Amino acid sequence: MAYEFTIIVPVYNEEDNLLRVEKELLEYSKIASKKTKILFVNDGSKDNSQTIIETIVERQENFSYISFAENRGLSAAIKAGFDYANSELVGYIDSDLQTAPEDFNLLLEYIGEYDLVTGVRANRKDSFVKNMSSTIANGIRRAFTHDGMDDTGCPLKVIKTEYAKRIPMFKGLHRFLPAMILLQQGKIIQIPVQHFPRIAGQAKFGLWNRLIGPLMDCFAYLWMKKKYINYSVAKQSE
């Protein structure tokens, strides 16, 4: 039976989390509502992450990986996952596991009617500064995109792969995935999911990444919206 759902796990210097990722995603795959495979995307980690990933993939048949030659950023890792996915559905989760894999089943309940289903973190367990900067950044983004989403930074999403592969990714665009689905005339929805504090490893985003960077990315999105090519084929020859 072919895999129906690919979970992308971007990894950058997460050696302390990867065995827990293996355990939790293996447990999720046993209760998943779709036949699921896991794809690690190692974004040029400089610690022992790649060795651990290879060990995991050797012993788990539904785990696989790709590894970048150098660090290229979260958006690049997600795009690579989209490019390599061959299942009908694709999703992703951060390797810090601040969201719960079992909540993918909540999102998958809606993916038939919608083309992207994103989590929105309920009762976030982050610092005041992180929460406040995220709230401000999301407000600015909504003003530019009118996507109606409250938490596009939530690292728990499910997307129909045909839509994901048509997203013209650029650095920072992982925050604009719902808006990019709207550009394709797709339907989106947000669903509350669990959130947990980080218990290992280091956060990869600071104030600049969460606030100033996303503001600059909004202007890139406006350019993309103006230039975006979208078409549907009405008829073709046999």
Side-chain angles (χ1 to χ4, degrees):
M1 180 178 176
Y3 290 105
E4 303 168 290
F5 179 39
T6 300
I7 298 175
I8 301 163
V9 186
V11 176
Y12 180 63
N13 295 343
E14 292 285 1
E15 62 182 5
D16 294 331
N17 280 315
L18 288 173
L19 295 181
R20 190 164 63 96
V21 170
E22 176 192 17
K23 178 182 177 182
E24 294 204 18
L25 285 175
L26 184 62
E27 289 301 312
Y28 170 70
S29 66
K30 297 174 182 177
I31 63 167
S33 56
K34 303 285 185 181
K35 187 170 176 59
T36 299
K37 70 180 296 185
I38 290 88
L39 174 61
F40 288 112
V41 182
N42 183 11
D43 183 22
S45 295
K46 295 177 173 60
D47 63 0
N48 201 39
S49 291
Q50 181 60 27
T51 299
I52 298 172
I53 288 170
E54 291 181 20
T55 300
I56 292 170
V57 170
E58 285 179 5
R59 64 186 175 219
Q60 306 296 353
E61 64 177 359
N62 62 325
F63 285 65
S64 60
Y65 76 85
I66 56 177
S67 183
F68 287 178
E70 57 188 3
N71 177 244
R72 304 303 295 171
L74 179 57
S75 291
I78 293 171
K79 174 173 170 47
F82 291 167
D83 291 344
Y84 278 79
N86 54 15
S87 53
E88 179 183 359
L89 301 173
V90 63
Y92 78 88
I93 187 170
D94 277 356
S95 48
D96 60 17
L97 290 181
Q98 287 192 255
T99 48
E102 69 248 32
D103 284 348
F104 274 121
N105 280 353
L106 298 177
L107 307 189
L108 287 166
E109 289 180 19
Y110 295 85
I111 198 62
E113 181 180 356
Y114 294 89
D115 305 301
L116 175 146
V117 186
T118 182
V120 54
R121 291 167 285 191
N123 301 313
R124 285 186 63 173
K125 302 300 190 295
D126 288 323
S127 68
F128 173 80
V129 171
K130 186 174 182 179
N131 285 336
M132 184 57 65
S133 60
S134 179
T135 298
I136 295 170
N138 274 300
I140 294 170
R141 189 211 68 258
R142 279 196 306 273
F144 277 80
T145 66
H146 305 289
D147 62 10
M149 299 290 102
D150 297 313
D151 185 19
T152 61
C154 178
L156 201 73
K157 291 179 173 62
V158 175
I159 312 173
K160 289 178 180 173
T161 304
E162 61 179 305
Y163 283 81
K165 287 183 180 293
R166 290 198 297 261
I167 296 173
M169 296 286 285
F170 59 81
K171 189 173 183 179
L173 197 63
H174 60 274
R175 302 180 185 92
F176 294 82
L177 294 178
M180 296 307 296
I181 300 302
L182 290 178
L183 286 185
Q184 299 180 46
Q185 307 303 312
K187 296 176 65 178
I188 63 176
I189 190 173
Q190 59 183 5
I191 303 297
V193 297
Q194 303 172 83
H195 190 246
F196 307 93
R198 176 185 270 271
I199 64 173
Q202 297 294 320
K204 307 303 186 296
F205 292 93
L207 183 61
W208 171 269
N209 306 95
R210 295 192 203 100
L211 193 55
I212 308 302
L215 174 60
M216 297 172 64
D217 292 341
C218 284
F219 293 100
Y221 165 78
L222 290 181
W223 179 89
M224 178 70 68
K225 181 178 181 180
K226 183 177 180 180
K227 300 293 185 179
Y228 184 73
I229 295 172
N230 188 47
Y231 67 89
S232 59
V233 175
K235 186 182 294 187
Q236 68 180 66
S237 63
E238 296 296 330

